[in-house]
Amino acid sequence: MQNNTDSQVYAGFFVRLAAYIMDWLIVGTILLAIKIPLWVTTMAVPDNFMVRDFIFQYSVKDILLYLLGVAYFVILTYFSGATLGKRAMRLRVISSEDRKPTFFEVAYRESVGRFLSELIIFIGYLMIGPDSKKRALHDRLADTRVVYYHVKEVTVPAEIRYRQSAPVYVPGPQYRQNVMPQNPEPPVETTVAPEENLVEDSSFFNENL
């Protein structure tokens, strides 16, 4: 569920769903620190202002918990580019121009955009599947993308030590010139007598015998 381009790899539906579940588990754990005191207060005073309907059917408690949940997504996405769940899945949010989104874009994406994506049976999230750039409805509204990022790891090779052996001396041209005689003696020339002289000498030898 991911699409490759020349410079980016868009995150698909299931990896984003996994990151979203992680984020809400983290948010739910953080909000327990507020829900438990509110629950104790409500048990002591059932008709307190925190649980009364404030806007439509939403109480002050509901609005407070919603704003704290949105603040988690807005602050982490704006300052670091990703929530903790997205970081675990190596994802980040960028604008369509491959830059850091502005605070307004992030706030609009994580509040109004997500609300509209969840409005009708989460159809805004299901739009990720068929879209070529894997955009949900809130990505389209805020003009953002969710992409993979990879940390470059540099491996330093181990130090290699070589054993030193005795140097091998190869005599150079100057050494060979010093060894060779500077003025070699010219070769001795030998002459061979003509055949006539040889015959005469042999006859002379026979007469003396």
Side-chain angles (χ1 to χ4, degrees):
M1 300 294 292
Q2 64 191 31
N3 186 31
N4 295 333
T5 62
D6 293 336
S7 58
Q8 300 291 350
V9 180
Y10 300 116
F13 174 79
F14 291 105
V15 66
R16 292 179 61 174
L17 176 62
Y20 192 61
I21 292 174
M22 291 181 191
D23 285 327
W24 271 113
L25 290 175
I26 296 171
V27 171
T29 303
I30 295 173
L31 293 182
L32 280 178
I34 299 174
K35 288 181 178 181
I36 293 176
L38 290 176
W39 178 76
V40 174
T41 304
T42 303
M43 293 295 292
V45 184
D47 193 22
N48 63 76
F49 74 97
M50 295 293 294
V51 295
R52 295 175 188 171
D53 292 345
F54 181 70
I55 298 177
F56 301 108
Q57 297 180 350
Y58 298 101
S59 64
V60 175
K61 180 188 72 174
D62 297 331
I63 296 174
L64 177 63
L65 295 176
Y66 172 76
L67 291 177
L68 290 175
V70 171
Y72 166 84
F73 288 92
V74 172
I75 292 173
L76 289 181
T77 302
Y78 175 71
F79 286 103
S80 63
T83 57
L84 297 179
K86 285 186 174 66
R87 281 184 173 275
M89 305 304 294
R90 294 188 177 275
L91 307 178
R92 67 176 179 178
V93 180
I94 62 172
S95 71
S96 60
E97 300 173 355
D98 196 11
R99 58 171 172 80
K100 178 182 177 181
T102 64
F103 183 81
F104 175 77
E105 290 173 340
V106 174
Y108 182 72
R109 178 184 190 273
E110 302 298 338
S111 57
V112 178
R114 285 195 182 275
F115 175 78
L116 295 177
S117 292
E118 299 171 0
L119 188 60
I120 304 175
I121 59 173
F122 296 92
I123 193 170
Y125 291 100
L126 298 177
M127 294 171 60
I128 296 174
D131 188 73
S132 60
K133 297 182 179 179
K134 305 303 176 185
R135 295 171 297 177
L137 178 59
H138 51 283
D139 290 318
R140 291 175 176 268
L141 295 175
D143 200 18
T144 57
R145 310 285 185 269
V146 179
V147 298
Y148 285 91
Y149 76 92
H150 302 282
V151 179
K152 295 182 179 180
E153 298 181 356
V154 178
T155 303
V156 179
E159 182 181 359
I160 301 176
R161 296 183 178 180
Y162 297 95
R163 296 171 55 187
Q164 295 184 354
S165 58
V168 179
Y169 178 73
V170 179
Q174 184 177 1
Y175 175 80
R176 290 195 293 269
Q177 291 176 1
N178 294 333
V179 172
M180 295 294 293
Q182 298 296 329
N183 297 318
E185 296 180 358
V188 179
E189 297 181 359
T190 57
T191 57
V192 179
E195 294 181 356
E196 296 177 356
N197 295 335
L198 292 175
V199 172
E200 293 176 355
D201 293 341
S202 59
S203 59
F204 175 78
F205 179 77
N206 293 331
E207 290 177 357
N208 294 331
L209 291 176

